[in-house]
Amino acid sequence: MTYSVTVREREIAVRELTVGDIREWLTMMASSNQTNLVDGLLFQEQQMITSEIAFMTTLDVSELNQFTPRELVKVIDKCKEANPLFFQFRAAVIGADVRIQLPSE
């Protein structure tokens, strides 16, 4: 299912994640060796980083950089509406400080 939110007269699609998407997110998080300060702190209260916003929307990270934080909070709110179970899962993973391990090949 796809939701939409309008920011600066631009319609942005927000997709509901599948179980496969959530597995892909885990892989993405496990392979990411660092988070910059903007990603780590700017949207801390909203429990998201910019790569996750891009992952759930039709925006890429370079496009996200053109929006103000307040505008992106509108997008994040729509992401949360579309994916409430993902955000519960994400909070559990991060809150428990779970060490994500990729299967050995």
Side-chain angles (χ1 to χ4, degrees), residues 12-59:
I12 300 163
V14 175
R15 65 190 177 101
E16 184 175 4
L17 299 179
T18 65
V19 173
D21 292 332
I22 295 168
R23 290 181 197 281
E24 184 179 339
W25 171 82
L26 274 173
T27 301
M28 183 176 73
M29 291 295 106
S31 64
S32 173
N33 55 6
Q34 67 179 17
T35 300
N36 67 42
L37 282 175
V38 172
D39 271 348
L41 300 174
L42 186 60
F43 298 112
Q44 186 175 16
E45 187 175 317
Q46 287 77 27
Q47 301 175 332
M48 280 195 93
I49 59 176
T50 52
S51 62
E52 291 171 323
I53 301 169
F55 185 70
M56 291 185 200
T57 68
T58 52
L59 299 170

Side-chain angles (χ1 to χ4, degrees), residues 1-7 10-16 52-60 64 75 78-79 82-83:
M1 178 175 250
T2 303
Y3 297 74
S4 69
V5 59
T6 303
V7 178
R10 179 174 176 183
E11 187 171 330
I12 300 163
V14 175
R15 65 190 177 101
E16 184 175 4
E52 291 171 323
I53 301 169
F55 185 70
M56 291 185 200
T57 68
T58 52
L59 299 170
D60 62 34
L64 291 170
V75 177
K78 190 56 72 170
C79 290
N83 296 287

Side-chain angles (χ1 to χ4, degrees), residues 73-88:
V73 167
K74 288 177 65 176
V75 177
I76 292 169
D77 288 345
K78 190 56 72 170
C79 290
K80 287 182 172 186
E81 179 185 331
N83 296 287
L85 294 175
F86 166 77
F87 283 92
Q88 290 174 8

